[in-house]
Amino acid sequence: MRWPQSKTSGSVIVLSLCLAIAAGSGPAFSAEVNDYPTSARADYVFACMKSNGETQDNLTRCSCSIDVIASIISYDNYVEAETVASMAQQQGQIGTMFRSTVQAKDILNDLHRAQAEAEVRCF
C-alpha cells in the first residue's frame, strides 16, 4: 500500500535528516569535548549549583556551563587552570608565584574566557 504524499513531505523529511546529522556532528559530540571525566563534570555542576541555587533551572544552566567550557578548553588545561587558581589563593611566596607569573596568568585567562562564554550562553 502506498501512502499519499504531499509536495512538502519529502522536503520536510530531507530537512529533518539534515538537521539530525548536523546536530550529531557538532562540537558537543566530538572526542575533544568528551575528554572531561563524568566525575569532573559532576563536581563542577555540584559546585555551580551550590553557588547559584539548587533548582532544576540551575541544574540545566550549570550542566550547560561545563559543556561550554569543555568545548573551549581541554580537560588537561582545565585541571591545570583549576590548580593554578587554587594555588594562587595561598598566602606567601607560593601564592605570589601563582598570582604573578605570566604563564599562570595566561592559564587563568584561558579559563576565565571559557567561563565568561559559558556565562553568556547558559545564564
Side-chain angles (χ1 to χ4, degrees):
M1 176 175 188
R2 217 167 160 204
W3 296 98
Q5 288 186 328
S6 70
K7 290 181 182 179
T8 59
S9 67
S11 60
V12 169
I13 292 171
V14 170
L15 177 60
S16 296
L17 288 172
C18 289
L19 290 174
I21 290 168
S25 64
F29 295 99
S30 70
E32 296 84 35
V33 173
N34 281 329
D35 70 342
Y36 282 52
T38 302
S39 61
R41 289 178 185 260
D43 284 344
Y44 179 93
V45 171
F46 180 74
C48 177
M49 289 180 68
K50 283 291 185 186
S51 298
N52 295 296
E54 296 174 0
T55 65
Q56 184 67 38
D57 186 48
N58 281 331
L59 172 64
T60 302
R61 292 175 188 275
C62 292
S63 297
C64 170
S65 181
I66 190 62
D67 290 344
V68 170
I69 291 169
S71 74
I72 296 171
I73 60 175
S74 72
Y75 179 66
D76 289 340
N77 290 351
Y78 175 78
V79 169
E80 187 176 42
E82 287 292 318
T83 301
V84 169
S86 175
M87 294 303 292
Q89 293 177 6
Q90 301 298 313
Q91 298 296 319
Q93 188 175 9
I94 296 292
T96 301
M97 181 176 69
F98 282 92
R99 285 188 296 274
S100 62
T101 65
V102 173
Q103 184 180 12
K105 287 179 182 179
D106 289 344
I107 290 168
L108 286 176
N109 284 338
D110 289 343
L111 176 61
H112 292 155
R113 279 191 291 274
Q115 289 171 329
E117 181 66 23
E119 181 80 18
V120 168
R121 289 192 203 176
C122 303
F123 288 90

